[in-house]
Amino acid sequence: MLSRKTVKALKVMPWAADKPSFSAELSRILAYITRPQLNCSRVLSPGQAQASQPPSNPPHWLLCAEDWLFLGENRPCVAYSFSMDRGDAEFLRTVSLLECEVHRFDPSNSNASGGHPGNSLASNHGDGGAVSRHKTWLEWRAPKNRRHRKRSTMDGISQTLADIIAALGHRTVDFLYVDLLSAEWRVFQNWIESGTLQSVHHLVATIHLQWAGFEVGGTDEEVLRYWFSVLQGLQASGLKLVHSSAGEGHNVLKRTTATAHSSYMLSWVNTRR
């Protein structure tokens, strides 16, 4: 299980230039999110169950399938997906083809994604490929008085990823997909500070740059520096960027810019597993 170590505060990076500069901070972020840190000779593309060479027409996301980073033989895998816009269909299909134990989290009442209804935050051991749905959502504020809730009472409330992993009885999450509609920055910070990322092997996440994000404040330059500090925190936790795909639009913190997109879908692999 996840260790309950003392929270280590996120390290704030120095300014990119001698003084706060929007262009310098943005350029530093773009340099990070558009340049993969690990070249994978074998990858798993959306909707595929077999690894292959990187496709000539890169998809929105992919998984690094190098032998030393991917699933071992005869080992069950676990996959989580947090997506309110239901853009995770290809991810769910892919991890289902791998016969993972799959859990999809969405606080809405929609049953559009199919799968088992999540009447309780329970596991689906032995039901590889089936998708269990839960109305639980991600929380980034660690409760002051942590109490493990009973599985039957956890749906319909927000929980940290560490608590969800513990409630489901998992030790690791092999594949994690998140599209948190701008809440990702505080959630990522929670994962970094709590050490939760030690239990995540592959992460596919959309980052949004249109606005600062939930509970993120400060000047535009301060927000950009905070974002970069979070990205560096992910890297310090062992995550290496393996793929980047730009989204639509060219709006960063309500400013139109030709050099950046409004969102990016990023694929990481944890090299410290």
Side-chain angles (χ1 to χ4, degrees), residues 5-261:
K5 296 181 180 179
T6 301
V7 172
K8 185 177 181 180
L10 176 73
K11 181 180 180 180
V12 178
M13 295 292 108
W15 292 107
D18 294 337
K19 60 181 180 179
S21 165
F22 184 90
S23 60
E25 295 298 327
L26 180 58
S27 295
R28 181 167 65 169
I29 288 177
L30 292 177
Y32 175 88
I33 64 178
T34 59
R35 298 175 185 174
Q37 301 166 319
L38 186 65
N39 292 322
C40 301
S41 60
R42 292 180 59 78
V43 301
L44 193 69
S45 298
Q48 303 296 317
Q50 297 294 327
S52 62
Q53 294 181 344
S56 56
N57 185 20
H60 292 304
W61 59 268
L62 52 76
L63 303 172
C64 185
E66 300 285 5
D67 290 343
W68 64 286
L69 293 171
F70 209 58
L71 297 170
E73 293 185 2
N74 301 319
R75 187 177 74 80
C77 65
V78 173
Y80 290 0
S81 176
F82 296 85
S83 176
M84 293 183 69
D85 64 359
R86 297 176 185 84
D88 58 351
E90 286 186 326
F91 174 82
L92 295 175
R93 179 167 175 256
T94 302
V95 293
S96 293
L97 288 172
L98 294 174
E99 297 189 350
C100 294
E101 178 183 330
V102 187
H103 296 267
R104 187 182 191 279
F105 302 86
D106 184 345
S108 73
N109 292 320
S110 175
N111 190 29
S113 63
H116 300 308
N119 294 325
S120 64
L121 194 58
S123 188
N124 60 359
H125 295 300
D127 200 6
V131 179
S132 292
R133 295 182 297 104
H134 312 280
K135 292 175 65 176
T136 305
W137 195 239
L138 278 174
E139 173 63 72
W140 62 85
R141 294 173 290 259
K144 294 182 180 179
N145 298 315
R146 182 182 301 275
R147 293 181 180 179
H148 291 293
R149 299 175 183 268
K150 295 180 180 180
R151 292 180 179 179
S152 60
T153 64
M154 287 192 64
D155 276 356
I157 60 174
S158 296
Q159 293 288 311
T160 64
L161 180 60
D163 282 338
I164 291 173
I165 292 173
L168 287 170
H170 296 142
R171 302 186 69 87
T172 61
V173 179
D174 297 280
F175 306 108
L176 175 59
Y177 178 103
V178 293
D179 188 346
L180 307 180
L181 305 180
S182 294
E184 64 272 5
W185 298 106
R186 287 301 188 191
V187 170
F188 288 167
Q189 181 181 350
N190 170 266
W191 296 352
I192 294 164
E193 294 180 336
S194 64
T196 306
L197 288 169
Q198 68 185 354
S199 298
V200 177
H201 291 172
H202 297 264
L203 172 63
V204 175
T206 299
I207 62 170
H208 301 82
L209 309 182
Q210 302 98 318
W211 68 293
F214 293 97
E215 295 195 7
V216 177
T219 65
D220 288 352
E221 292 77 15
E222 289 171 336
V223 170
L224 290 171
R225 182 173 68 157
Y226 168 72
W227 287 351
F228 183 73
S229 300
V230 171
L231 293 170
Q232 289 298 294
L234 295 176
Q235 179 175 321
S237 299
L239 296 186
K240 297 289 187 182
L241 187 67
V242 297
H243 185 65
S244 173
S245 175
E248 298 180 353
H250 293 274
N251 188 299
V252 177
L253 294 176
K254 300 181 181 180
R255 303 190 193 191
T256 300
T257 172
T259 59
H261 289 259

